[in-house]
Amino acid sequence: MAAAAANTDGLEESIADVQHIVESPVASAGVEEDTLFGHDLHLSTNPDPAAAADDDDERSEAKVRLDAAEKFILRSDSSIPGSLTGVSAGKYLSAVDEIIRLSCGGVDGDVHGRATGLLETVMSRLRKEFRHLISLHSANLDADRRSFQSSSLSMPSENSDLTAEDFSTSIEEEQHAAEERGWCFLSDQSCNLIPSEVMPVLKEIADRMIAAGYQQELCQAYSSARQGFLNGFLSVLGVDQLSIEHAQTIERRTLQEKVGKWIRRLNFIVRVFLPRERELCDQIFVASDELKEESFRKTAERVVLQQLDLGDVIATRLQSQNEVFLLLDIYEALSDLQAFFSWDSDEFICTEVEQIVQRVGKAVRGSLAKFEDAIRGEKLWKPRQSGQIDPMVRYGMTYITTMVCYSSSLNLLLHDDGVDGGDNSVRGESMTLFGQRMHLSMSYIEFRIQEKSKFYQEDDALKYIFLMNNVLYMVLKVEDSGLEALLGDDWIHTRHRQIQEYATCYLRASWSKPLSNLKDDGLWSASGAPSSAVKGRFKKFNLAFEEIWSKQTAWVVPDPQLREDLRLLILMTVIPGYRSFFMRYGSRLGGVQQPSKYLKYTPEDLENYLSDLFEGASEKSNHLRRKLGS
């Protein structure tokens, strides 16, 4: 009887505790928030073992406990998201713990049935609260977005001297700068996607839903909220999702402009969002390793598969040779995504990524083949009569050297395709597949240069200027791009030797005729050189020099170093011979009528005139041509 009395007293104390919770205010100012999850707030008691044997008392206790928990649950405001806060959160979750225990069995059937029904109610509220806590922070970021965007663009003042064109350029530059600042903003915010003070609440909710067997509902709430969060997060920059339907019908030029943002979006997902999601899942779903993986997988699938579908459409539309760099950007972004999921080769998303990577890779190889065909199949048109760099050479070398930035990816693509780089006799055995392929493409360009130089048959001197300009352009592009490391030093040295040979050929073709008039042959006799012969020599030299000068001041050598080297080479070849001839025979014309007709130029005059060569200044040439002819 004493034991029974003791048990009755314990039960009465337990009931009193429960009633105290029910009747107390929802929020008590006397309880600190940090005590909510630091202590056991369960409503259960530990009855005396002897008393627990009494079935009637046990049923009575379970019913009282359920009544108290139910009354508190129904009394709590479940209609307002975010209302599960403060002291009420701890008491509410303690009541949830009681309901979970009573719904697991071992109690009266009526109690078990009521607890099971009530469990659905509390799990629904916890799911909504869980999603609300995650989505809430998108709203916080949206406020940051409005503040950020309002300060990102600045308009010119009314007193600005900008023209309409300058204004347009200024706006574009400001928009680009704002976008760059925006991505920095995103990176700064990325470590705080879920504030640290919210994490314990999310974990407490997750623990109870897992214990109650509501893993799937929890996973669904998490993955859908996180996808919405990402979309809100990226809206900070206005990086709206491009729909597949829009990508299929949008103009190609507009599509190209949007691809850059799509690539950035995917890079952000791979480098920031997904790693952070992995950390969040590990922190929130501590109670279930299986749920960690499933929640991360579903979130990743929701976010990534939409990007993959869009990337597939984009890659299908970007097929021209000039779009290869956009395709390579897409390929590298997708390769990073593929690497992220490489830990699980059986993962569905990994398989999807692999398939689209292969399709994009095929498109890249097709674009590269189109470029090579375009170089080989270019129609031969007569080059401009200035010896300038051929547009095909500029295009081809710009195309090739830009691809150096993608050499690692292209090595993989060419290896996967089993592509051979060309004739082994023209490359080193250590050259990469990309280096071999570029070597082959450049050999096509060099062949076209040689073919086009044949249009200058009427003027060999201009042909060699054309050859020097174009070969040097290739050399400089190789040196500036880092392609030299792939082609080897021998490639550069061979082309420099070619340029030197072309310079020698140019001198011979251009200056042999005027210099032939500065020889002593036939001028000397016992009585000295006859004035008529000397006059003839000076006259012929002057005519030949003026003809060369008139043409070659209109020719163009764009590289300043080559231009100065050629001028110096000409000076070293022409001036010493002319000065010697001028000093020996100029005095012979002192007695002839109008000697200035023959002694038109001093050696210093020639030096000044030769400094005008290869500038391509036609108006200046015409003015000086009139002067020369006077």
Side-chain angles (χ1 to χ4, degrees), residues 4 123 160 162 169 217 232 236 293 321 425 447 468 615 621:
M123 288 298 116
S160 174
L162 291 178
T169 303
E217 290 81 355
V236 171
E293 296 301 322
Q321 66 203 45
S425 63
F447 177 77
M468 279 188 284
E615 292 283 359
S621 299

Side-chain angles (χ1 to χ4, degrees), residues 563-582:
R563 186 167 60 245
E564 289 304 312
D565 288 346
L566 281 174
R567 288 171 177 171
L568 180 60
L569 189 61
I570 295 168
L571 287 172
M572 293 173 60
T573 303
V574 175
I575 299 302
Y578 181 77
R579 177 177 284 112
S580 176
F581 191 83
F582 186 88

Side-chain angles (χ1 to χ4, degrees), residues 550-619:
S550 296
K551 289 192 302 183
Q552 297 192 14
T553 49
W555 295 358
V556 177
V557 176
D559 182 72
Q561 187 61 55
L562 177 60
R563 186 167 60 245
E564 289 304 312
D565 288 346
L566 281 174
R567 288 171 177 171
L568 180 60
L569 189 61
I570 295 168
L571 287 172
M572 293 173 60
T573 303
V574 175
I575 299 302
Y578 181 77
R579 177 177 284 112
S580 176
F581 191 83
F582 186 88
M583 295 298 292
R584 289 200 310 272
Y585 298 106
S587 60
R588 299 277 182 177
L589 301 179
V592 302
Q593 188 176 8
Q594 296 181 323
S596 60
K597 290 178 59 177
Y598 310 101
L599 300 177
K600 293 178 67 173
Y601 310 109
T602 66
E604 291 72 21
D605 290 335
L606 291 186
E607 289 185 27
N608 291 331
Y609 283 123
L610 290 174
S611 65
D612 294 326
L613 297 181
F614 314 126
E615 292 283 359
S618 57
E619 291 187 4

Side-chain angles (χ1 to χ4, degrees), residues 6-7 10-11 14 40 42-52 61 65:
N7 182 51
L11 180 59
S14 176
D40 184 9
H42 296 168
L43 300 182
S44 63
T45 61
N46 294 311
D48 184 88
E61 177 187 358
R65 290 151 65 92

Side-chain angles (χ1 to χ4, degrees), residues 397-416:
M397 290 306 300
T398 300
Y399 193 98
I400 288 171
T401 54
T402 303
M403 283 194 287
V404 174
C405 300
Y406 304 93
S407 58
S408 297
S409 296
L410 284 165
N411 271 325
L412 293 174
L413 284 168
L414 296 174
H415 184 271
D416 291 343

